[in-house]
Amino acid sequence: MRLFRKKPSPDHPFWKWFRENSSELHRTQDYETIVRQFGTHAQNVLVEMLTGDGVRKSTLVITPDGQFQALTEAYQWYESAPNVADWDFVLFRQRLPRGSGLTFNAVEFDPWDCKVLITGKSKWRHMPVVTYAIDVYLPIPTQSSAFLNAAGVLALDHALGEELHMFRLAKATFYSAQNLNPNVMSMQEFVDFLEEHPGHGIWNEPRFRR
């Protein structure tokens, strides 16, 4: 793990480079260059790009990649992001609309087609937040445990949104839907359930919204 070269701020070299090249990056959708440049400055935080179409704005997602220890750094990068034409910046991987689809290692599936079984719940030690343990059944053929775990985390990030995933799930175990438990609920029903039983998340404050 390397130390920050410089604390994220509006005058950070990465943001200076981004401002100078933002129009060209939007036009070319050069995600690889953005990731390479960002990676020389960030410690634990990742950036991901939601592709624009040359007309609408492109979106740069600043994500702690599910790591609680990276939350402060992620927020610093988000808060210091410049206001530039053609680009929006968001903190956390965002919920995708139904039908968007994901591709993981050449396997395509819709995270909204996952099924969920709640297997337990607990509370955070120092905050009134209820978290849940769940089994998740992915709409893909049987795969290795490593594959199901990686694809499942990606599915939860994009069905729940990364913030909800991090703060409201204590544990998730992943299975292929070929081994479906008959008592499951749909992903939409699970999202509705979480939103009907809100938790007081650390980041549920206006200052963490852009």
Side-chain angles (χ1 to χ4, degrees), residues 110-132:
D110 189 335
W112 288 97
D113 289 336
C114 295
K115 306 297 183 184
V116 177
L117 179 68
I118 298 175
T119 59
K121 69 177 182 179
S122 58
K123 283 190 176 181
W124 281 27
R125 188 170 184 177
H126 301 296
M127 296 182 67
V129 179
V130 177
T131 62
Y132 296 91

Side-chain angles (χ1 to χ4, degrees), residues 58-171:
S58 297
T59 301
L60 195 68
V61 179
I62 300 169
T63 168
D65 197 31
Q67 302 178 82
F68 281 94
Q69 68 268 27
L71 284 170
T72 297
E73 184 189 356
Y75 176 69
Q76 290 172 340
W77 281 109
Y78 168 74
E79 182 71 2
S80 63
N83 292 317
V84 291
D86 300 325
W87 285 90
D88 287 325
F89 302 91
V90 297
L91 180 62
F92 299 113
R93 294 183 180 112
Q94 303 296 296
R95 185 179 298 172
L96 294 177
R98 188 175 184 88
S100 298
L102 291 173
T103 301
F104 181 78
N105 284 9
V107 176
E108 296 183 8
F109 67 100
D110 189 335
W112 288 97
D113 289 336
C114 295
K115 306 297 183 184
V116 177
L117 179 68
I118 298 175
T119 59
K121 69 177 182 179
S122 58
K123 283 190 176 181
W124 281 27
R125 188 170 184 177
H126 301 296
M127 296 182 67
V129 179
V130 177
T131 62
Y132 296 91
I134 61 174
D135 289 344
V136 182
Y137 295 85
L138 280 66
I140 60 178
T142 300
Q143 301 279 351
S144 68
S145 295
F147 185 100
L148 289 172
N149 288 342
V153 167
L154 187 65
L156 288 176
D157 274 353
H158 288 300
L160 305 182
E162 185 180 17
E163 180 182 13
L164 204 62
H165 180 186
M166 289 181 66
F167 285 98
R168 300 303 306 280
L169 296 187
K171 179 183 178 182

